[in-house]
Amino acid sequence: MKRSLPVFFFVLLSLSAGAQWDDTDRLSNDFHRARREALRTLMPEKSAAVFFSNPVRNRNNDVDFQFSQNPDFYYLSGYTEPNAVIILFKEARVFDGIQTNELIFVQDRNPKQEIWNGKRLGVEGTRQMLGFPAVYRGIDLKGFGINWSALKEVLIVLPDQPNRERDNPADLSDLVDFLKEGLSASPDLYQNHTALPKLMARLREKKEPGELKLLQKAMDITIDGFKDMIRQLSPGMTEYQAQAIVEYHAKKGGSEYMGYPSICGGGLNACVLHYTFNRKKLKGEELILVDMGAEYHGYTADITRTLPVDGKYSEEEKAIYNLVLAAQDSGISKCKAGNAFRASHEAAYEVIAEGLLKLGLINSASEAGRYFMHGTSHFLGLDVHDAGTYGPLQAGVVMTVEPGIYIPEGSPCDRKWWGIGIRIEDDILVTDAVPVNMTAALPRTIAELEKLMAEDF
Ligand code: GLY
Ligand code: MN
Ligand code: MN
């Protein structure tokens, strides 16, 4: 950040990263250590894996976006600051007199910067808080004595083009340069940029108990917001006011960010799958599709409900709603260990195709994609569309089930259907037996939702 405006402005608005520790519900050091160990078991002999923190991204002029850590980096370390790199080795080596199979280089303490952006962990803090034994300053990576030529492979994903930071001799782009410098004698070691994401996908797909706890919390605070928003929904409200109610509860519940830009589409906007403009005033006869998820300590919820603004679904809306609901039930029933990842989509699609045929909206099942044009499921975790292998489902996987029907104006069907856009989305834990709907506390049926809308707030 440049320093051209009065100090008080930056004290209020500075959006850059800083370690502001709140220990509530933090994933344990043992969790992160065990995940590093699990990765090591998947790594080839005589290999190293290199992870960079995310870059700080500029929003405009003097203002950066709130820093969000690279999910793999966070998963393996719990470190939430920029300008850092982790190097994991399959086999332990001796560095600096320490026998270790992992190194972390972090941004240095900097009292001047900390006045603006908050306290940093630094080397000592990272050692103490995160339990890494071999911690160094970023600048130490320059000329660090790693004997790369003793390795057979270096697994690496380089970060997006980072911005240069002023007055920082070891910003993210410097770290990339230092590393490449060290590796320059052995460029063949790191040609394959797809191997590491594949290993991380294998680890991140199935959730550990500590992760499920954070996911459940993210879902619960999102549900608090949805319930309040549904009660308060009324004609004349705007899309952004509906959004604000859910986001208020997310923040109040401890969420650091929303997991993705909130989708609040009223009327025809409900048919825009990832509509995020959210500026329209809502009319009584319209539906609003609300797709939102709080992120809590990195883990995000992803929930959608579609509501009639005046509290009562019309006959046409009821017909489409119940069809989507039946498709969702059918999709959820397929979230069982051993099933193919696509089983939920195939089941939901079949219900929707049959239903649209019966309602006369399409002439053959193959036309269903005109109104249901997206997949039914994705993995959920640190990313809203989370890492995973898309192989057979395993117990411990969390995935969404979110069928939808969208009938924009001008569609080749009776006009009475035009403008209806309905998606219902819940977050499901795959088990060996009955799938667990982790967002079941939020009403889904027409009767339950109309009852909630009729409640005083
Ligand atoms: N919220 C984005 C999605 O449902 O995939
Ligand atoms: Mn989703
Ligand atoms: Mn969603």
Side-chain angles (χ1 to χ4, degrees):
M1 273 197 175
K2 289 178 229 151
R3 303 271 166 80
S4 49
L5 290 174
V7 169
F8 74 88
F9 176 79
F10 278 104
V11 171
L12 289 172
L13 286 186
S14 173
L15 298 179
S16 285
Q20 319 290 341
W21 282 95
D22 167 6
D23 250 7
T24 318
D25 295 338
R26 192 163 76 78
L27 283 168
S28 68
N29 292 345
D30 284 344
F31 166 85
H32 298 295
R33 194 177 299 116
R35 298 291 81 205
R36 297 196 293 276
E37 207 47 62
L39 174 61
R40 232 172 251 119
T41 64
L42 301 180
M43 286 165 57
E45 297 305 306
K46 290 197 172 173
S47 66
V50 182
F51 296 88
F52 289 96
S53 62
N54 262 349
V56 174
R57 296 185 167 97
N58 184 254
R59 181 170 182 269
N60 45 12
N61 198 21
D62 282 348
V63 179
D64 294 330
F65 281 106
Q66 192 177 357
F67 181 70
S68 174
Q69 187 56 285
N70 174 293
D72 288 340
F73 202 101
Y74 173 73
Y75 184 80
L76 295 169
S77 68
Y79 187 75
T80 56
E81 298 179 34
N83 302 314
V85 56
I86 294 171
I87 308 177
L88 302 183
F89 297 93
K90 174 81 174 183
E91 297 89 5
R93 281 146 202 281
V94 177
F95 296 99
D96 227 10
I98 307 172
Q99 165 107 357
T100 184
N101 52 14
E102 50 196 24
L103 302 168
I104 185 167
F105 297 84
V106 299
Q107 61 176 4
D108 204 0
R109 297 290 308 274
N110 182 326
K112 266 196 197 161
Q113 287 288 332
E114 289 178 25
I115 289 173
W116 294 88
N117 296 323
K119 197 168 169 205
R120 299 172 174 188
L121 276 186
V123 168
E124 208 37 55
T126 305
R127 200 173 282 134
Q128 282 175 16
M129 289 280 305
L130 303 180
F132 268 88
V135 189
Y136 298 90
R137 299 172 308 155
I139 193 74
D140 298 329
L141 182 59
K142 193 174 171 60
F144 199 82
I146 299 173
N147 181 10
W148 295 105
S149 62
L151 297 168
K152 279 195 182 150
E153 201 174 347
V154 176
L155 309 167
I156 191 168
V157 180
L158 293 171
D160 298 346
Q161 188 59 42
N163 292 327
R164 289 267 162 200
E165 286 184 16
R166 278 171 29 138
D167 306 326
N168 186 348
D171 68 11
L172 187 61
S173 45
D174 290 315
L175 295 179
V176 173
D177 289 347
F178 299 159
L179 191 96
K180 283 185 169 169
E181 226 168 82
L183 274 165
S184 59
S186 327
D188 296 346
L189 285 177
Y190 65 103
Q191 293 309 313
N192 182 353
H193 296 272
T194 57
L196 194 50
K198 280 186 187 152
L199 299 188
M200 291 307 296
R202 282 169 66 184
L203 294 184
R204 284 175 50 190
E205 176 170 340
K206 192 176 158 181
K207 271 52 186 183
E208 299 290 313
E211 297 180 279
L212 290 174
K213 198 173 145 200
L214 296 183
L215 275 168
Q216 188 66 64
K217 170 99 181 213
M219 292 165 194
D220 289 348
I221 60 183
T222 306
I223 289 170
D224 288 344
F226 264 84
K227 283 185 175 165
D228 195 14
M229 178 273 295
I230 291 169
R231 283 195 199 98
Q232 292 198 46
L233 192 63
S234 59
M237 193 184 246
T238 57
E239 293 168 335
Y240 57 81
Q241 286 167 344
Q243 170 186 357
I245 296 167
V246 184
E247 291 190 1
Y248 162 75
H249 284 275
K251 275 276 183 222
K252 184 164 169 260
S255 166
E256 296 90 348
Y257 323 82
M258 298 308 285
Y260 52 92
S262 298
I263 298 166
C264 299
L268 290 174
N269 297 333
C271 295
V272 180
L273 301 181
H274 283 175
Y275 170 84
T276 55
F277 192 57
N278 303 352
R279 308 306 302 172
K280 191 183 117 68
K281 191 178 259 201
L282 301 166
K283 295 185 192 138
E285 67 274 20
E286 291 174 335
L287 292 172
I288 180 169
L289 183 156
V290 181
D291 179 345
M292 297 180 66
E295 183 182 301
Y296 185 69
H297 292 8
Y299 290 81
T300 187
D302 185 7
I303 301 177
T304 307
R305 291 292 183 268
T306 310
L307 300 316
V309 174
D310 63 5
K312 288 275 172 204
Y313 292 90
S314 71
E315 286 314 304
E316 287 74 25
E317 289 163 358
K318 276 185 184 166
I320 300 296
Y321 192 98
N322 283 327
L323 182 48
V324 176
L325 189 68
Q328 197 200 24
D329 280 336
S330 184
I332 291 172
S333 74
K334 301 293 183 198
C335 298
K336 284 188 186 155
N339 278 355
F341 176 79
R342 280 187 68 77
S344 63
H345 181 65
E346 282 161 6
Y349 195 90
E350 193 181 317
V351 172
I352 284 183
E354 257 177 42
L356 290 177
L357 262 175
K358 258 194 209 145
L359 292 171
L361 272 129
I362 55 175
N363 298 312
S364 79
S366 64
E367 291 172 19
R370 180 186 300 146
Y371 300 118
F372 177 24
M373 59 294 262
H374 58 77
T376 298
S377 296
H378 54 79
F379 297 122
L380 191 63
L382 288 169
D383 284 305
V384 61
H385 293 178
D386 205 33
T389 62
Y390 296 90
L393 296 177
Q394 309 167 60
V397 159
V398 179
M399 59 196 283
T400 65
V401 178
E402 50 174 309
I405 296 176
Y406 314 89
I407 314 171
E409 233 176 10
S411 297
C413 60
D414 192 316
R415 300 172 76 99
K416 69 180 182 177
W417 303 111
W418 287 6
I420 296 178
I422 292 174
R423 176 161 69 248
I424 311 173
E425 176 171 29
D426 285 270
D427 303 338
I428 310 300
L429 172 65
V430 174
T431 72
D432 289 315
V434 182
V436 176
N437 183 350
M438 297 175 76
T439 46
L442 184 60
R444 268 191 323 143
T445 65
I446 286 181
E448 289 168 335
L449 289 168
E450 287 190 346
K451 183 163 173 271
L452 189 56
M453 282 183 275
E455 278 179 18
D456 287 336
F457 54 87

